[in-house]
Amino acid sequence: MKLRTGTAKVATIRVGRGWHVVRAGLRTVRFRVLATVLGFLAAGLLAAGITTLTLDLGNLNNRVNEDLLLQSGRLHDIVEQGVPGGGPYTSLDELFTVFLQGDAPGRYESVMATVIGGNTFLPAAGQPGTLNASQVLDAARAAHVGGRTVFHDVTLDGRTVRLAITSVSLERGAPGGLLVAANEIGRQREQMMASFGTFGVASLGTLLLAGAVGFTVTGRLFVPVRRLRQATESITFEDLSSRVLVPPGDDDVSQLATDFNRMLDRLEAGIADQRQFVDDASHELRTPLTIIGGHLQLLQAEDPRDVRETQALLLEELDRMQSLVDELLLLARSGRPDFVRLEWVDADSFLVAAMDRIKVLADRRWQIDTMPGGRFRADRNRLTQAVEQLAANAVQSTRWHDVISLGAAWVAAPDGTVPPAPSALSGAGFEIWVADSGCGISAADQERIFDRFARAGVSRGTEGSGLGLPIVKAIAEAHSGSLRVISQVNEGSTFVLSLPGGTP
């Protein structure tokens, strides 16, 4: 009993999971899109079929009525023409005999005539239909209206027949007769309904084929969407390396996959910056915190001199820590879109203002090399910050008699043209440099000075945090530019900040 009960539970769980899978499949975008398209297609086919059937039935009614009226019109023409030998018809028997010797009725038609209280006349060529003449005439006698033609639908032997009953009279007081034209309209309606059924079967086949093709096409189309979902499920804070394979083409799905990958690139870069910030902060703040803790442990509170010296040292370390944190935050924010705010900057006035700010850094021979003229697009504050940092680096590498120069120039556009001052041509570049005649940088150090916390082996000043040049590089890259160095040991260095040009 326990075994059976357990088996039943397993079966129930499997059924429940299967239903859950089915319900999940019904909620997919693929199913909804396909169901919507097939629903509209089915509604369109149904509306087209019903509309066509309705119009065909209406046309059938009109056509049958016109065909039935042709018989009474032909009889009227024969009466107007008179007997072949001349003179009018005086006998309905003679008239009906001549009339029914004419054209044979159509496939679904029957024509007959009768004299009230007298003979019955049928076409000489025979009836193409299978209607019983006596039943038709009995129905006609019951439904006729004297002096005009009336239409009357009757059911004979399970078939719907439309009768056109025309009262015929040659002379007042003479016996009258009936001309009866019958059409098996029911059989034609049945054929139309059969055609509608065939259309329905063909439409169903079309829907099935469209569903199969649509299922295949949407499956391929939504492959990036499924991969996108799988990627989102696998992405974690620790691992952002998953990417979606972008399908060929330029449709919305391909663009979605591309945008998703770009979003992951931005997230990965942002998280990498955060991790770098945490790593850098923990690495660089460990030493000053250790120094502060050590001096606090060795502090002799009863010794005023020791307290003053320790206080001065701690404040110095705190200032250095604050500067370091500010620089790390600046680097962490450099990847944001709002890190720079571009505006048109006049080149000459920028150089003059920058020189006024940097020449007070130290007693050096400061000079401006060139005044290029024109305007370029940049963030004035960030660019001033970069120039100040380059000038501070130059001060550390020079002595009082060395020269530190600031300059700028337009560089050639992709077509080889150099814009003349004072205007910039589209595609031209703009370069700003800070050069010094100091100790220079060795070739080995030039490869790593732009890395965080890297320091050149030759320096005549106090060591910095090692973040100055990475900050300048980040500012240049935020302007879609670059930073490079040209240096020889004991001859000096030139740091060149290249910016894209523009049209002022």
Side-chain angles (χ1 to χ4, degrees):
M1 293 298 293
K2 292 182 178 180
L3 180 60
R4 293 179 180 178
T5 303
T7 304
K9 288 183 178 180
V10 172
T12 303
I13 292 174
R14 289 178 178 176
V15 172
R17 288 179 178 176
W19 174 241
H20 177 72
V21 172
V22 172
R23 290 182 61 186
L26 295 178
R27 291 195 300 266
T28 60
V29 177
R30 181 184 185 184
F31 174 80
R32 292 180 180 179
V33 170
L34 188 59
T36 301
V37 173
L38 291 180
F40 276 104
L41 180 60
L45 290 174
L46 180 62
I50 292 177
T51 302
T52 302
L53 179 62
T54 302
L55 294 176
D56 288 344
L57 290 176
N59 293 333
L60 174 64
N61 286 329
N62 295 332
R63 179 171 55 80
V64 167
N65 291 341
E66 292 175 358
D67 292 344
L68 293 176
L69 288 176
L70 288 177
Q71 301 298 335
S72 59
R74 192 164 65 85
L75 179 64
H76 182 269
D77 293 339
I78 291 175
V79 173
E80 292 292 331
Q81 293 173 3
V83 296
Y89 287 96
T90 58
S91 169
L92 287 179
D93 292 352
E94 182 181 12
L95 174 62
F96 288 153
T97 300
V98 173
F99 172 75
L100 292 175
Q101 288 178 348
D103 297 335
R107 178 181 178 184
Y108 300 102
E109 297 177 353
S110 296
V111 181
M112 57 196 71
T114 182
V115 178
I116 298 177
N119 297 323
T120 297
F121 300 87
L122 298 175
Q127 296 279 24
T130 59
L131 295 176
N132 187 296
S134 61
Q135 291 179 341
V136 173
L137 292 175
D138 289 343
R141 293 188 185 99
H144 86 280
V145 177
R148 62 190 183 91
T149 298
V150 296
F151 294 98
H152 181 61
D153 289 349
V154 296
T155 301
L156 301 176
D157 298 331
R159 293 176 290 177
T160 300
V161 180
R162 176 165 294 179
L163 305 178
I165 309 166
T166 304
S167 298
V168 182
S169 176
L170 295 177
E171 296 179 1
R172 186 180 296 276
L178 297 176
L179 172 64
V180 181
N183 189 294
E184 294 185 59
I185 192 173
R187 290 178 60 188
Q188 300 176 69
R189 288 174 177 170
E190 291 173 358
Q191 291 180 353
M192 288 186 177
M193 294 302 297
S195 299
F196 181 74
T198 303
F199 173 79
V201 173
S203 298
L204 180 60
T206 302
L207 287 175
L208 293 177
L209 179 61
V213 174
F215 187 80
T216 303
V217 172
T218 54
R220 295 179 179 178
L221 184 63
F222 283 103
V223 165
V225 177
R226 290 197 299 272
R227 292 174 178 170
L228 184 65
R229 185 188 63 188
Q230 295 170 358
T232 55
E233 292 175 352
S234 62
I235 289 174
T236 61
F237 181 80
E238 292 78 14
D239 182 14
L240 291 172
S241 60
S242 298
R243 295 294 183 272
V244 179
L245 180 64
V246 179
D250 192 23
D251 53 16
D252 293 338
V253 177
S254 301
Q255 189 61 43
L256 174 63
T258 302
D259 292 342
F260 180 77
N261 288 338
R262 291 175 179 172
M263 180 191 69
L264 289 181
D265 292 338
R266 293 192 297 269
L267 289 176
E268 189 173 22
I271 293 178
D273 290 340
Q274 291 182 0
R275 290 174 177 171
Q276 184 69 44
F277 173 79
V278 173
D279 293 341
D280 293 343
S282 61
H283 176 268
E284 290 298 316
L285 294 179
R286 186 180 296 113
T287 299
L289 288 175
T290 302
I291 294 174
I292 292 174
H295 281 83
L296 288 176
Q297 291 177 359
L298 299 176
L299 176 65
Q300 298 179 9
E302 67 280 0
D303 186 354
R305 181 179 177 182
D306 187 51
V307 171
R308 288 193 301 271
E309 291 177 353
T310 302
Q311 180 185 20
L313 188 145
L314 295 183
L315 290 175
E316 182 181 350
E317 289 296 325
L318 288 176
D319 290 340
R320 192 165 71 88
M321 290 174 60
Q322 182 63 52
S323 176
L324 179 63
V325 170
D326 291 340
E327 291 176 347
L328 289 174
L329 288 175
L330 179 62
L331 284 174
R333 295 169 181 168
S334 62
R336 296 183 180 179
D338 59 347
F339 181 66
V340 295
R341 301 179 183 275
L342 301 181
E343 60 178 322
W344 286 110
V345 179
D346 182 77
D348 292 350
S349 62
F350 173 80
L351 292 177
V352 172
M355 178 57 70
D356 290 339
R357 295 174 66 92
I358 64 177
K359 66 183 181 180
V360 297
L361 293 177
D363 184 14
R364 299 291 188 271
R365 295 166 59 188
W366 300 92
Q367 66 182 32
I368 295 179
D369 288 339
T370 59
M371 301 284 278
R375 297 191 300 169
F376 61 96
R377 283 184 63 80
D379 186 318
R380 182 188 297 271
N381 294 329
R382 293 296 185 194
L383 197 57
T384 300
Q385 183 179 8
V387 171
E388 290 177 350
Q389 185 60 58
L390 292 177
N393 284 0
V395 168
Q396 294 179 9
S397 302
T398 57
R399 297 176 180 176
W400 65 271
H401 56 79
D402 288 323
V403 176
I404 300 178
S405 60
L406 173 66
W410 295 101
V411 296
D415 58 1
T417 60
V418 179
S423 63
L425 300 180
S426 178
F430 187 73
E431 291 186 347
I432 301 175
W433 64 82
V434 175
D436 65 75
S437 59
C439 59
I441 304 172
S442 66
D445 288 336
Q446 292 179 29
E447 299 293 332
R448 62 183 185 86
I449 58 174
F450 296 113
D451 297 333
R452 297 184 181 187
F453 305 112
R455 297 175 178 88
V458 179
S459 178
R460 290 174 178 161
T462 60
E463 285 193 353
S465 64
L467 295 176
L469 290 179
I471 290 176
V472 178
K473 181 181 178 182
I475 293 175
E477 292 175 348
H479 285 81
S480 299
S482 62
L483 177 66
R484 69 182 188 273
V485 62
I486 305 171
S487 181
Q488 292 289 335
V489 177
N490 297 325
E491 293 185 10
S493 304
T494 301
F495 287 87
V496 182
L497 199 155
S498 299
L499 303 177
T503 303

